[in-house]
Amino acid sequence: MGHSLLYMMGFFLLSTVICGNAKDYSTDLQEDDDLSPPKPTVTLQPSWTQIYSGETVTVRCEIQGGEGAQWTYEWRPAKLNTPPTSNEYRINSTTESDSGGYSCRGRRDSSWTKWSDITSLKVTAPPKPTVTLQPSWTQIYSSVIYSGETVTVRCEIQGGEGAQWTYEWRRGQVNIRPTSSEYRISRATESDSGGYRCRGRRSSSWTEWSDITTLTVSSPPKPTVTLQPSWTQIYSGETVTVRCEIQGGERAQWMYEWRRGQKNIHETSSEYTISRLTESHGGGYSCRGRRSSSWTEWSDIITLRVTVPIKSTVTLQPSWTQIYSGETVTVRCEIQGGEGAQWTYEWSPDKLNTPPKSSEYRITVTESDSGGYSCWGRGDYLLTYWSETITLTVSSKPKAELRADRTAVPVGGSVILTCSVSPPSSSSSSSSSSSSSGWKYYWYRDGKSYEPLTNEQISVSEGGLYSCRGGRGEPVYYTEDSETVRIDTTVSNRPVVTLYPNWSEIYRGETITVRCEIHGGDTEWDYEWETNSIRKPPNQNEYKIKSASSSNSGNYHCKGRMKSSQNKTTEWSDSVTLTVSDNKPRPVLTVSPSWLSPGASVTLNCQVEHPSAGWSFYWYKAVPDLSEKSSSYELLPDGSGTAQDSYIIHGQTHTAGYVCRAGRGDPEYHTDHSQPKFVWSADVHSAASLTVSPDRVQHFTSDSVSLTCEGNFTEWRVRKFSEDGRLSDCRRMTGSTCNINTSKSDTGVYWCESGSGEFSSAVNITVQSMLLYIYFLDLNDLDVT
């Protein structure tokens, strides 16, 4: 047993050595933590995580607690594993290809440590520096400072803030001494002007040169004092703003110093406002500015004069507020209290300021002269206020307007004529406003003038053509002449309008004559008509309307004008009303009795809506119409144009239909035919009869109905008298039978006639739509409670 145990222990040790020597380097040791080799650490020297190309860096593998041991090292990336394999490497003049993650492990005897954590190395090109100037005035951004100021020039390397840089500077092509990132130029002079650039060095690596930043050192600009408003002469009580402007230095942080005369003013801003000026504010104002420690020179002096003004006034002569194109107006500038001074005048609008500048202008105005006028005066040491603006309105040349209270002088009376002048935009002008505008009125009758009158109204008792115009001013300015107004003198004759024929109602298509009659004397007349009809009558004493329509309806009246004296007229006649109806009349036919017995008579009576209006009557009997498309009528004996509205049928022994119509006038106008009336004959042949199959009065559309004539007679025919008065024969006779495939047009009265003149009793047949019949049945079934 002892030999066996010794043998097993030896086998175990041998297996351990073999397995240990064969272990892959990529496999970590599996011993307990207390017995495992320490984990290495990779460090960089210098320890910047950002390395620039060209610099030198040392990569070191450190095993904490294993300093005295003999280690063999393995690196990732593999390019470091070149014999001998050291614990550190020095990379001279790095390039961007050296960027990456570095890790290592160590081996002692047959034991490997774990791989270290990865340490990243980033190699980039050195950043390009930027030259900036301070302080941060907006002017410095344009690289301009003033002599005597202080400026700091700074070299900034973006992303390299924590590194230890050495700096090199140039102004133009000459190196300058500073080696720090910035330097201060105190009390700059023009010799400090130039283009500045820099570069930085860290270790053995240089950045490229920065872009050039130009610094310009110039003398401070000279300020200018301005006044707002910009008048050098300001009136007491007004407000003025005094402003110090430094050209090119608008956005700099300036402090200002002010003087009025030789005395300093406390204000330190670029401008200040003086409200309610007094004479003590007058004087010469100047300023200067300071930025940092640099002062500008004093500005030139600007003088402010504050005076108590004299008032000026603009007047118009004449003083009418409404002036017309072509009139002459004097515009005058008057200065109260300045009568003894020698004034020069200034006007608004500027077109008046033509040398010499006068106190008044005489203008023959046009519409372009409309506008506001104001003025002011300037003496040796005096100024006036601007006057208040007076508005001149110039309108186009007006036209007088003539109105009459009536157009004809009544018998023994007169007519009032009114002439007015108003602006073109006004429809009328009152008497007071017209007279206050200086107008005189010039009156004309038949081209001959009256004397001018200031009154705009005159009374006339003579007929004629009147016109007027207005005039005013010196020289007289005339308006356009008014339109002429005809004034007639009324004579005692009075016309009368008559209608022929004088029926109370006329129907469309009738002929009527409208006549104007003037009684008394042998005077020849021209005629005038007035009507509210759409159509205006001709200027004749009568005219004929050949085919009247509703457009001729209206009230008609007339008057006459003497041909020998066109200004003498009659009064208007009374109106006569003409009424034209568009509905053609249709008479109503009545029959009494409706049965014709042997030896008896039937009276037909025809009535028109207006029976007393000269109607004649026509009587007709219906005759067969083979086309069945229209009604055919035959004039009864002595039934043409009788004045009687009735007609008697004697001894007629036949069933028939009758109509009537009426006519009147020249040419004669006819009404429509009346609705037909059916007269039943009581004298029928007892041996002739009509049989209907099916035997009922009420039939429906599309029914088949047979009407059969019976009796010892030959050549039967079935006749129908329809609701619209047409008399027709059956067109589908088979022997003595008429076959009908019913439609609504088959409704009517039917009877049989033989070839020898015998006829049967008549049968009334009604054809109705089945759908309509069902509908009525349904309505009858409704329970309405």
Side-chain angles (χ1 to χ4, degrees):
M1 181 176 179
H3 290 289
S4 298
L5 178 60
L6 181 60
Y7 174 77
M8 291 177 66
M9 292 177 64
F11 180 78
F12 176 75
L13 291 173
L14 179 60
S15 299
T16 302
V17 171
I18 294 173
C19 292
N21 290 337
K23 181 180 176 75
D24 188 349
Y25 293 146
S26 63
T27 305
D28 293 332
L29 297 176
Q30 303 298 321
E31 289 87 359
D32 295 337
D33 291 342
D34 293 340
L35 301 177
S36 298
K39 185 178 181 179
T41 302
V42 174
T43 63
L44 299 176
Q45 187 62 35
S47 60
W48 310 318
T49 55
Q50 178 69 58
I51 304 297
Y52 299 120
S53 56
E55 291 188 307
T56 299
V57 66
T58 298
V59 186
R60 181 176 293 120
C61 185
E62 297 179 348
I63 301 175
Q64 192 71 25
E67 291 82 357
Q70 296 299 317
W71 294 95
T72 300
Y73 296 88
E74 184 177 355
W75 288 88
R76 289 179 180 167
K79 66 181 179 178
L80 299 185
N81 297 322
T82 54
T85 304
S86 173
N87 71 324
E88 71 176 28
Y89 284 91
R90 184 181 180 85
I91 305 173
N92 295 312
S93 188
T94 58
T95 65
E96 294 183 31
S97 66
D98 293 313
S99 298
Y102 288 79
S103 65
C104 68
R105 69 176 179 171
R107 186 181 68 182
R108 188 177 64 179
D109 295 331
S110 60
S111 177
W112 286 95
T113 68
K114 293 182 180 181
W115 283 97
S116 69
D117 292 334
I118 294 174
T119 297
S120 294
L121 172 64
K122 185 177 181 181
V123 182
T124 60
K128 185 176 181 179
T130 302
V131 174
T132 61
L133 303 174
Q134 293 293 328
S136 57
W137 302 322
T138 304
Q139 284 77 7
I140 296 302
Y141 296 153
S142 60
S143 306
V144 178
I145 65 170
Y146 300 122
S147 55
E149 292 187 311
T150 298
V151 64
T152 298
V153 186
R154 179 176 294 124
C155 186
E156 297 178 349
I157 301 176
Q158 191 72 24
E161 293 80 358
Q164 301 297 318
W165 293 97
T166 302
Y167 296 87
E168 185 176 352
W169 287 90
R170 282 183 182 172
R171 183 173 67 242
Q173 299 300 319
V174 179
N175 283 13
I176 51 180
R177 292 181 179 179
T179 58
S180 62
S181 63
E182 68 178 35
Y183 66 97
R184 183 183 181 88
I185 304 173
S186 300
R187 301 187 64 79
T189 65
E190 293 184 21
S191 64
D192 293 311
S193 298
Y196 287 78
R197 58 180 174 162
C198 69
R199 67 176 180 170
R201 185 181 66 185
R202 188 178 72 173
S203 183
S204 57
S205 178
W206 284 96
T207 68
E208 61 178 306
W209 284 98
S210 70
D211 292 333
I212 294 173
T213 296
T214 302
L215 173 65
T216 302
V217 183
S218 62
S219 299
K222 184 177 180 178
T224 302
V225 175
T226 60
L227 299 176
Q228 186 62 33
S230 59
W231 311 313
T232 54
Q233 177 69 56
I234 307 294
Y235 302 120
S236 59
E238 290 188 310
T239 297
V240 68
T241 297
V242 187
R243 182 177 293 120
C244 186
E245 298 177 348
I246 300 177
Q247 192 70 27
E250 294 82 355
R251 298 183 180 179
Q253 301 298 316
W254 293 98
M255 294 290 292
Y256 296 85
E257 187 174 350
W258 287 90
R259 283 181 182 172
R260 182 173 66 243
Q262 298 301 316
K263 295 181 180 181
N264 283 10
I265 303 173
H266 294 301
E267 295 290 339
T268 57
S269 61
S270 63
E271 68 177 38
Y272 63 97
T273 299
I274 308 171
S275 300
R276 300 184 64 82
L277 283 168
T278 65
E279 291 180 83
S280 64
H281 290 111
Y285 287 78
S286 62
C287 69
R288 66 174 181 170
R290 185 184 69 184
R291 188 177 74 173
S292 184
S293 57
S294 178
W295 285 96
T296 68
E297 62 179 306
W298 284 97
S299 70
D300 292 334
I301 294 172
I302 187 169
T303 301
L304 173 64
R305 294 183 176 87
V306 182
T307 60
V308 178
I310 301 173
K311 187 174 182 180
S312 56
T313 304
V314 173
T315 61
L316 297 177
Q317 187 61 37
S319 58
W320 306 316
T321 55
Q322 181 66 58
I323 305 295
Y324 298 99
S325 180
E327 287 194 286
T328 300
V329 177
T330 298
V331 187
R332 181 176 294 119
C333 186
E334 298 178 350
I335 299 175
Q336 301 292 331
E339 291 78 3
Q342 297 296 318
W343 296 98
T344 300
Y345 297 87
E346 187 169 342
W347 288 87
S348 176
D350 289 336
K351 64 183 179 181
L352 297 184
N353 296 322
T354 54
K357 296 178 180 180
S358 175
S359 63
E360 69 177 39
Y361 289 90
R362 187 174 176 84
I363 308 169
T364 300
V365 296
T366 64
E367 291 182 55
S368 64
D369 293 307
S370 294
Y373 287 78
S374 62
C375 70
W376 66 287
R378 182 176 64 231
D380 293 336
Y381 301 100
L382 294 173
L383 288 174
T384 72
Y385 283 117
W386 276 97
S387 70
E388 293 181 359
T389 299
I390 188 168
T391 300
L392 173 63
T393 303
V394 182
S395 301
S396 57
K397 191 171 186 177
K399 184 176 184 177
E401 181 184 2
L402 178 58
R403 301 188 303 275
D405 66 339
R406 63 183 74 185
T407 58
V409 179
V411 177
S414 62
V415 171
I416 302 299
L417 301 179
T418 303
C419 187
S420 61
V421 178
S422 57
S425 59
S426 302
S427 60
S428 62
S429 175
S430 66
S431 174
S432 59
S433 63
S434 295
S435 60
S436 66
S437 298
W439 294 106
K440 290 184 178 180
Y441 299 91
Y442 299 80
W443 296 89
Y444 303 87
R445 174 177 173 269
D446 296 333
K448 298 178 181 179
S449 64
Y450 287 3
E451 290 296 323
L453 302 172
T454 56
N455 191 347
E456 60 184 304
Q457 283 188 344
I458 60 173
S459 176
V460 297
S461 57
E462 294 182 277
L465 291 176
Y466 287 84
S467 64
C468 70
R469 65 174 176 170
R472 69 180 182 183
E474 186 62 43
V476 178
Y477 172 82
Y478 293 102
T479 69
E480 300 282 357
D481 289 347
S482 71
E483 299 290 342
T484 58
V485 172
R486 177 189 291 274
I487 301 299
D488 296 325
T489 301
T490 305
V491 296
S492 57
N493 307 62
R494 185 178 177 86
V496 175
V497 174
T498 58
L499 300 178
Y500 181 78
N502 191 22
W503 299 323
S504 59
E505 184 169 14
I506 304 297
Y507 295 100
R508 181 182 182 88
E510 287 195 282
T511 299
I512 189 167
T513 299
V514 185
R515 181 177 294 126
C516 183
E517 299 175 349
I518 302 175
H519 302 286
D522 297 328
T523 304
E524 292 187 356
W525 303 92
D526 289 325
Y527 295 85
E528 296 179 24
W529 292 87
E530 278 190 357
T531 177
N532 59 356
S533 170
I534 296 176
R535 300 180 182 179
K536 186 167 180 63
N539 292 330
Q540 302 170 1
N541 70 317
E542 72 174 34
Y543 68 99
K544 181 177 288 188
I545 303 173
K546 292 184 178 180
S547 181
S549 68
S550 59
S551 64
N552 297 115
S553 296
N555 296 318
Y556 291 76
H557 63 156
C558 68
K559 72 175 181 179
R561 184 179 300 277
M562 287 186 179
K563 289 187 176 182
S564 59
S565 177
Q566 284 291 299
N567 294 325
K568 291 185 177 181
T569 68
T570 68
E571 295 182 58
W572 285 101
S573 70
D574 292 332
S575 294
V576 170
T577 300
L578 171 63
T579 303
V580 180
S581 173
D582 277 336
N583 298 319
K584 193 170 186 178
R586 186 173 193 179
V588 177
L589 176 63
T590 57
V591 178
S592 181
S594 59
W595 287 87
L596 184 60
S597 301
S601 64
V602 171
T603 301
L604 307 179
N605 189 269
C606 194
Q607 290 290 330
V608 184
E609 184 177 1
H610 301 287
S612 61
W615 295 104
S616 296
F617 297 92
Y618 299 82
W619 308 89
Y620 303 88
K621 175 183 177 182
V623 296
D625 176 25
L626 297 180
S627 69
E628 299 188 7
K629 293 183 179 178
S630 62
S631 301
S632 296
Y633 304 110
E634 178 183 89
L635 190 66
L636 291 173
D638 300 324
S640 175
T642 64
Q644 298 296 321
D645 59 359
S646 61
Y647 185 88
I648 299 175
I649 303 172
H650 295 283
Q652 179 69 26
T653 59
H654 200 292
T655 298
Y658 297 89
V659 296
C660 71
R661 68 171 178 171
R664 69 179 181 183
D666 185 17
E668 190 172 26
Y669 169 82
H670 291 100
T671 68
D672 286 334
H673 287 91
S674 69
Q675 282 285 98
K677 288 293 183 178
F678 192 69
V679 177
W680 299 80
S681 175
D683 186 18
V684 297
H685 201 286
S686 59
S689 63
L690 171 64
T691 302
V692 180
S693 178
D695 186 11
R696 60 173 181 259
V697 175
Q698 179 70 61
H699 296 271
F700 301 104
T701 54
S702 299
D703 281 352
S704 294
V705 178
S706 298
L707 295 93
T708 302
C709 299
E710 297 176 351
N712 292 322
F713 306 104
T714 59
E715 298 181 8
W716 290 104
R717 60 183 175 182
V718 176
R719 284 194 161 181
K720 178 186 75 172
F721 190 77
S722 61
E723 289 182 318
D724 58 1
R726 293 199 307 269
L727 180 63
S728 59
D729 293 340
C730 176
R731 300 173 65 182
R732 297 182 61 186
M733 292 289 296
T734 302
S736 61
T737 299
C738 172
N739 297 303
I740 305 172
N741 191 14
T742 58
S743 65
K744 293 186 71 174
S745 63
D746 291 314
T747 296
V749 178
Y750 292 81
W751 68 92
C752 291
E753 284 192 17
S754 70
S756 56
E758 292 81 8
F759 55 91
S760 69
S761 298
V763 175
N764 193 1
I765 294 179
T766 303
V767 181
Q768 187 175 356
S769 170
M770 175 62 77
L771 291 177
L772 185 62
Y773 176 74
I774 294 173
Y775 173 74
F776 282 126
L777 288 178
D778 288 341
L779 288 179
N780 292 330
D781 289 340
L782 290 177
D783 183 13
V784 181
T785 58

